[in-house]
Amino acid sequence: MLALFVRWLAPLVIMMTSGVLLARWGGELRLPEDARASALARCEDRPCVLGLVPGETPWIDVAQALDVADTRTIYRRVEPAAEMGFFMSVDRVSLGQVSITLEQPMQAAWIIQRFGAPCGVSIYWAMNIVTLRYPTLLANLQMIGSGLHLDDPVTSIHLSDPNFRMERQPDLCIDSVSPHAVHNTTWMGFAPFRRYLDIRLSFSSF
């Protein structure tokens, strides 16, 4: 019983510690203050881009806001070095997925600072990629060294289409569909990977 309690408490302590470190070191990190950072925000309780919310903003309003023709896919260049793709939802009336490719990466600390602790972490050892997973957002980090660091580079961000349902991927907090070897685990803060190896989340269809 004690061991179970300690195992439950450890991630909480690490998450709180990470929050303190972010507050302490936030001014020292190169947190983005450019158009990319202001474009990616929270609209009430959901991630949004340029004030456009997947699954909620009508597609016709997306086209009008981005000042382009009403097509099914819209691309927008945001400096410095970011390409944003807006895709019509499968419901055919609202904004669906939004994909952001960062040629000039952001730091991982900024993602945590903006969106809080992720609901899951997926580690792809063979590809040197770590994905911070949220219920409606994924942030891909380039793996550097033997753990997660405040300044790990975020190379891409994806907002999901809430109207799209995949039977094999009912929970975005766990990668259950990747053809690549993946270690699904919980958020343990900016810590060595050996801590992440202690907990492995398994996928269940129930």
Side-chain angles (χ1 to χ4, degrees):
M1 187 69 178
L2 179 59
L4 181 62
F5 175 74
V6 171
R7 185 175 181 180
W8 172 86
L9 183 62
L12 179 61
V13 172
I14 293 172
M15 185 172 64
M16 293 176 64
T17 302
S18 297
V20 172
L21 290 177
L22 281 173
R24 179 180 177 182
W25 294 333
E28 301 176 11
L29 292 170
R30 298 183 303 278
L31 299 179
E33 297 179 353
D34 52 52
R36 302 170 305 163
S38 60
L40 183 63
R42 295 180 68 99
C43 295
E44 296 184 356
D45 62 341
R46 297 186 58 181
C48 59
V49 180
L50 299 173
L52 308 173
V53 185
E56 293 186 9
T57 304
W59 182 252
I60 190 172
D61 291 348
V62 174
Q64 183 176 1
L66 299 178
D67 193 25
V68 296
D70 187 5
T71 61
R72 294 176 59 89
T73 303
I74 300 173
Y75 291 98
R76 169 61 61 88
R77 182 78 177 179
V78 178
E79 298 299 341
E83 182 81 14
M84 296 182 177
F86 299 82
F87 304 88
M88 181 183 290
S89 171
V90 294
D91 69 5
R92 297 181 179 273
V93 296
S94 64
L95 172 63
Q97 179 181 340
V98 179
S99 295
I100 304 174
T101 301
L102 301 169
E103 299 168 21
Q104 179 178 318
M106 294 179 176
Q107 293 184 329
W110 183 87
I111 295 294
I112 304 300
Q113 191 173 70
R114 175 60 54 93
F115 299 107
C119 60
V121 176
S122 295
I123 304 174
Y124 306 86
W125 303 108
M127 299 186 294
N128 291 324
I129 294 175
V130 177
T131 299
L132 303 182
R133 311 184 73 87
Y134 295 84
T136 58
L137 181 147
L138 304 176
N140 294 317
L141 284 59
Q142 181 181 348
M143 186 187 300
I144 297 179
S146 58
L148 290 180
H149 310 90
L150 292 162
D151 58 351
D152 282 346
V154 179
T155 57
S156 65
I157 300 170
H158 305 276
L159 281 66
S160 63
D161 179 357
N163 296 307
F164 178 73
R165 296 286 187 270
M166 183 184 296
E167 292 184 2
R168 295 188 301 152
Q169 179 71 70
D171 183 0
L172 281 181
C173 298
I174 298 176
D175 182 351
S176 56
V177 298
S178 176
H180 306 285
V182 55
H183 179 86
N184 289 306
T185 183
T186 59
W187 170 247
M188 301 288 286
F190 293 102
F193 284 130
R194 63 176 180 273
R195 291 187 178 177
Y196 281 91
L197 294 175
D198 292 338
I199 298 178
R200 187 183 188 98
L201 301 180
S202 59
F203 169 71
S204 173
S205 59
F206 299 99

